[in-house]
Amino acid sequence: MLIVALLRCTDLRAEVDPLTGAVSRDPRTASLSAADAAALEHALRIADTWGGRVLALTAGGPEADGPLREALALGAEVRRVPLHSSYIEELAVDERSLAKLVVSALGENRPDLVLCADRSADRGTGALPAFVAHELGVVQAPGLVALQVEGDQLVAERRLDFGRRERMRVPLPAVCSVEGAGVRLRRASLPASLAAANATIPLVDVALPASPVRVVQARPTRPRPRHLPAPTGTSRERLLALTGALLSHEPPTVVGPVGAAEAADALLDFLVRHGYLSEARTGWAVP
Amino acid sequence: MGAGPAGAAAALTAARAGASVVLLERGPFPGSKNVYGGVVYGRVLDEVLPRWWEEVPVQRWVTRRSTMVLTETQALTVDFRTVAWGEAPYNGCTTFRSDFDSWLAGKAVEAGAQLVTSTVATGLIREGGTVVGVRTDRPDGDLRAKVVIAADGVNSFLAKELGLLPSTDAAHLTLGVKEVLSLPREVIDERFGVRGDEGVDVEILGCTRGIPGGGFVYTNKETVSVGVVVSLEHLTAAKVRPEELIADLKAHPAIAPWVRGAEVKEYAAHLIPEGGYDHFPTLHADGLLVAGDAAGMCLAAGIWLEGVNFAIGSGLAAGRAAAAAAQTGADLASYRKDLESTFVLQDHKRLRKAPGLVLSPRVQGQYPGLIADLVEGMFTVTNPTPKPGVVRLLRAAANKHGVKLRHLAVDALAGGRTFR
Ligand SMILES: Cc1cc2nc3c(=O)[nH]c(=O)nc-3n(C[C@H](O)[C@H](O)[C@H](O)COP(=O)(O)OP(=O)(O)OC[C@H]3O[C@@H](n4cnc5c(N)ncnc54)[C@H](O)[C@@H]3O)c2cc1C
């Protein structure tokens, strides 16, 4: 069984120039987002249970090698499709050709399961998993907050609106994209980290397929300047307006100590009373 | 243990000597967690990395060094600049620790050391009093080694575990805090009177509300570091927040024009060992060497704040001693002898009285005002009253600040002895 963890390694604390919108990324702080880390952990857990092998695959520059070595130390095989580009160039890559690229990098190795983050931390369209599923011709389960093996079944849980959850069985082969929730990436042992410390990451040289999307221009987003009228009134009046200091307002209410159900009712009641929630939408009866 | 300057330097010499070396760092990459003011004096690298200046990740080469004495409303500056410091082999450079430490650790890796990051050394493994390895926070995390070098910085838990350092030692620690302020490059060039790669190092006395310590301003390419270093005990007693001291400094009429309109990019704080020569711990134990700030080797003597070069110097020596011990069973005591033959212990020994003198109440609390008043008196044109003589001015200033001329003589003598 082959489980592919499709990872994106990027600087999670990139700097954005407030004036020009230019993004500068530090390759040394490239790492997996919580969702990417969760995808890898799920891959390792499922492989542990079903006796499969895990391939951690990423398309990116050499900054991805650090996180890939960590995956190597955790027992995964690793590959990198070299892709060097600036943040803007990356944004301009259309997800469909990226999906084609990673699938062609897999070659003959058709995966039984592909795990990836629901959306990348820095691009964030969330479209890649669907395109990968399409390229592989397999089903897709997006937005998962839990994923586990139950017997010979893979059972996933998805977050729906209004706090509801959906539980579903995922038939293989499939692409599952997960949120950074529920699991934490295990730490590699010291001997494995030492063994992986200087490992060379194998590269798969496949070219980015031509994209049907034509990029006309790519530049940092720069919010349009907005005309803000000069404030009126004295500074005291403005402070009062901002803080609402002298307005009458409902004093803080302490309810309790009460049980969890009663506390939840009290909170919902408050929200409904103040117009944040309508009774009809919650579907809960408010006493 | 620790990929700061001391650990990286130790790993470099030990790996070059053919030893098998692991360099453990708790941060995600070397330097990621490290804090300092801003200037590295790199000549210590001459022997191990010839022409280091061609590749060190420099922000600016310090070609101008000012020493400032401040009172609330006055400033006296002694300003020195030289073209020589802007040419190879240079003197000091401003550099970011994330860049510098990564670069130096990279040199150790090139020499054959294995760098493992995101790994915390949690304790020592001992057998019958001998250190035979370290414990780490990774699964299966024990690492056995013939020699462990504790280069884990100030407040070293490893040195404490062996009882080489006292468990608390506030009296010999200072707290350094700094802000990194962002300004366009041209603005920095213009305000500090430099161009190209030239940079400025300003050391300041009298800017800490009487709390023993000092301040600094360093220029990077597009940022300026402003900070203070103050006695931990006195700071606590004064009930002052350290950021208030930086705010004071930034608002001072002599400093404000430099940093006007700048945006705070970063705020950081870190301890500094300031005990000097008289408070070094024992530098080795069976199977263990202590280097850099872990051994209190930062030279923090008022207008000197040199820790990185001393950390590198002691690290290089520790690496040599460790490799010799691992390969030939040589005695680790050779480490101290080696250090005594280099600038590391010689400078510390020579300047052993400097921290005490520079941090003394008179130098900190009374002399800045006295000197500033004296100079103000000399340059204030009091016509139609004739100019007062310097001796009269000195007496008046000394009186105003409660300094007896006898004290001046005593301190001048002590200064002469300390810095001879
Ligand atoms: C505000 C301030 C300003 C300063 N200004 C200057 C200056 O301008 N010039 C100068 O030369 N010096 C300056 N210094 C002093 C200088 O920073 C230190 O002397 C120097 O960093 C000491 O180097 P080191 O390698 O001994 O320790 P550190 O630089 O502290 O490195 C220790 C390393 O060990 C790692 N570590 C710690 N514990 C563990 C553990 N348990 N497991 C694994 N890794 C661990 C840390 O992450 C770190 O990388 C300044 C210090 C401060 C605080």
Side-chain angles (χ1 to χ4, degrees):
Chain A
M1 172 177 220
L2 174 63
I3 304 176
V4 171
L6 205 54
L7 305 175
R8 176 163 177 82
C9 310
T10 189
D11 182 0
L12 298 174
R13 284 193 265 161
E15 268 186 51
V16 183
D17 186 315
L19 191 61
T20 61
V23 176
S24 33
R25 296 183 294 181
D26 184 344
R28 292 171 308 198
T29 32
S31 52
L32 299 180
S33 69
D36 284 279
L40 180 56
E41 177 61 29
H42 280 304
L44 293 165
R45 286 186 188 189
I46 296 167
D48 284 347
T49 318
W50 278 341
R53 59 192 181 100
V54 174
L55 170 66
L57 176 69
T58 185
E63 71 277 4
D65 288 356
L68 284 181
R69 285 198 187 98
E70 190 70 23
L72 186 67
L74 289 171
E77 298 163 39
V78 297
R79 303 260 187 291
R80 175 164 70 82
V81 185
L83 203 64
H84 306 263
S85 48
S86 71
Y87 176 66
I88 286 293
E89 283 162 344
E90 267 180 34
L91 277 188
V93 172
D94 114 77
E95 253 96 351
R96 196 156 139 200
S97 43
L98 192 58
K100 284 193 170 133
L101 177 84
V102 291
V103 170
S104 69
L106 289 173
E108 295 302 300
N109 301 318
R110 289 282 123 169
D112 299 280
L113 179 63
V114 175
L115 274 153
C116 60
D118 195 37
R119 57 187 62 239
S120 49
D122 56 343
R123 301 188 57 186
T125 65
L128 186 73
F131 282 122
V132 172
H134 175 77
E135 286 302 320
L136 290 168
V138 302
V139 299
Q140 190 216 173
L144 306 182
V145 289
L147 184 65
Q148 61 232 9
V149 172
E150 287 180 8
D152 56 356
Q153 308 252 10
L154 195 58
V155 178
E157 205 171 297
R158 220 152 79 84
R159 202 196 299 275
L160 298 183
D161 289 346
F162 301 115
R164 295 195 177 91
R165 298 282 170 108
E166 180 179 52
R167 267 171 76 80
M168 56 202 177
R169 274 196 294 278
V170 183
L172 298 186
V175 173
C176 292
S177 55
V178 300
E179 290 187 13
V183 292
R184 203 178 267 270
L185 182 58
R186 64 192 70 182
R187 299 195 72 206
S189 73
L190 187 62
S193 301
L194 279 169
N198 298 332
T200 317
I201 303 297
L203 301 180
V204 195
D205 234 339
V206 282
L208 195 64
S211 162
V213 177
R214 199 167 61 89
V215 179
V216 183
Q217 192 192 26
R219 61 182 168 80
T221 42
R222 194 171 164 186
R224 281 168 188 281
R226 270 191 305 148
H227 177 76
L228 292 178
T232 54
T234 64
S235 46
R236 181 173 177 277
E237 284 162 355
R238 296 207 298 274
L239 267 175
L240 286 177
L242 273 174
T243 57
L246 299 183
L247 300 179
S248 68
H249 52 83
E250 192 173 336
T253 329
V254 180
V255 187
V258 293
E262 267 175 284
D265 283 343
L267 287 172
L268 284 170
D269 182 27
F270 180 91
L271 293 174
V272 171
R273 236 182 319 126
H274 289 83
Y276 294 109
L277 267 185
S278 73
E279 266 179 65
R281 279 184 75 196
T282 62
W284 276 294
V286 177
Chain B
M1 295 304 110
L12 176 69
T13 43
R16 281 205 185 155
S20 146
V21 181
V22 172
L23 180 57
L24 271 192
E25 168 57 40
R26 67 180 167 181
F29 63 89
S32 52
K33 290 185 150 295
N34 296 348
V35 174
Y36 86 138
V39 183
V40 168
Y41 301 92
R43 294 296 303 276
V44 58
L45 293 170
D46 280 359
E47 278 165 34
V48 280
L49 298 170
R51 306 189 76 75
W52 52 271
W53 53 83
E54 288 175 359
E55 40 176 309
V56 71
V58 61
Q59 287 284 315
R60 289 175 186 258
W61 295 105
V62 174
T63 55
R64 185 175 167 200
R65 181 169 173 139
S66 305
T67 307
M68 254 187 170
V69 177
L70 297 187
T71 68
E72 255 175 63
T73 54
Q74 300 155 303
L76 170 72
T77 307
V78 178
D79 186 27
F80 175 75
R81 61 196 302 165
T82 168
V83 174
W85 289 352
E87 295 164 354
Y90 300 96
N91 181 42
C93 64
T94 55
T95 166
F96 294 134
R97 289 293 296 277
S98 51
D99 297 337
F100 183 82
D101 291 11
S102 293
W103 170 75
L104 195 58
K107 293 288 157 199
V109 171
E110 274 173 29
Q114 268 191 305
L115 170 68
V116 179
T117 54
S118 302
T119 306
V120 182
T122 52
L124 297 166
I125 309 173
R126 282 187 276 175
E127 276 172 11
T130 304
V131 175
V132 294
V134 281
R135 302 228 134 82
T136 72
D137 65 340
R138 288 210 177 251
D140 200 4
D142 286 4
L143 185 64
R144 295 181 75 87
K146 286 195 178 143
V147 182
V148 172
I149 301 176
D152 51 341
V154 62
N155 212 17
S156 162
F157 287 102
L158 298 182
K160 280 184 184 178
E161 190 180 326
L162 274 194
L164 300 180
L165 284 178
S167 61
T168 51
D169 190 19
H172 298 118
L173 290 175
T174 52
L175 179 70
V177 288
K178 74 161 183 177
E179 279 182 10
V180 179
L181 306 169
S182 149
L183 279 174
R185 191 173 183 151
E186 321 74 70
V187 174
I188 294 177
D189 287 355
E190 204 171 293
R191 290 186 186 173
F192 288 87
V194 288
R195 47 184 188 172
D197 285 343
E198 293 172 347
V200 183
D201 163 342
V202 187
E203 307 291 339
I204 308 165
L205 270 183
C207 58
T208 48
R209 296 195 195 173
I211 302 167
F216 58 82
V217 175
Y218 303 132
T219 57
N220 302 312
K221 269 192 197 116
E222 295 182 329
T223 52
V224 175
S225 302
V226 179
V228 296
V229 173
V230 282
S231 146
L232 200 56
E233 278 191 329
H234 290 82
L235 179 73
T236 319
K239 295 198 169 23
V240 173
R241 304 276 318 161
E243 60 270 26
E244 291 174 35
L245 298 175
I246 298 191
D248 282 1
L249 189 57
K250 288 199 303 183
H252 191 280
I255 310 290
W258 283 339
V259 298
R260 194 180 53 234
E263 193 191 331
V264 181
K265 272 192 86 174
E266 196 181 297
Y267 179 85
H270 202 276
L271 290 176
I272 304 175
E274 197 150 273
Y277 191 81
D278 294 331
H279 298 281
F280 285 158
T282 313
L283 298 177
H284 71 93
D286 232 1
L288 181 105
L289 296 173
V290 194
D293 272 12
M297 293 209 176
C298 184
L299 181 71
I303 53 172
W304 281 278
L305 182 49
E306 297 174 29
V308 173
N309 47 334
F310 282 87
I312 294 174
S314 58
L316 294 174
R320 286 191 290 265
Q327 289 162 340
T328 64
D331 188 355
L332 287 178
S334 68
Y335 172 50
R336 178 151 189 136
K337 290 204 192 78
D338 194 358
L339 285 179
E340 275 166 0
S341 71
T342 67
F343 74 98
V344 177
L345 286 191
Q346 288 179 9
D347 284 358
H348 266 292
K349 195 169 179 184
R350 175 168 304 126
L351 292 168
R352 67 200 293 177
K353 299 266 183 272
L357 179 69
V358 178
L359 298 179
S360 68
R362 278 199 294 272
V363 172
Q364 289 286 325
Q366 291 156 294
Y367 289 165
L370 184 154
I371 297 169
D373 281 350
L374 176 67
V375 175
E376 185 165 333
M378 278 167 63
F379 296 131
T380 305
V381 180
T382 53
N383 303 158
T385 314
K387 294 189 193 310
V390 174
V391 175
R392 213 179 97 207
L393 283 172
L394 180 63
R395 274 184 198 285
N399 264 344
K400 179 174 162 197
H401 294 279
V403 178
K404 299 244 167 5
L405 292 183
R406 170 166 53 87
H407 292 148
L408 270 176
V410 168
D411 289 338
L413 203 65
R417 278 209 197 105
T418 303
F419 297 111
R420 72 176 181 268

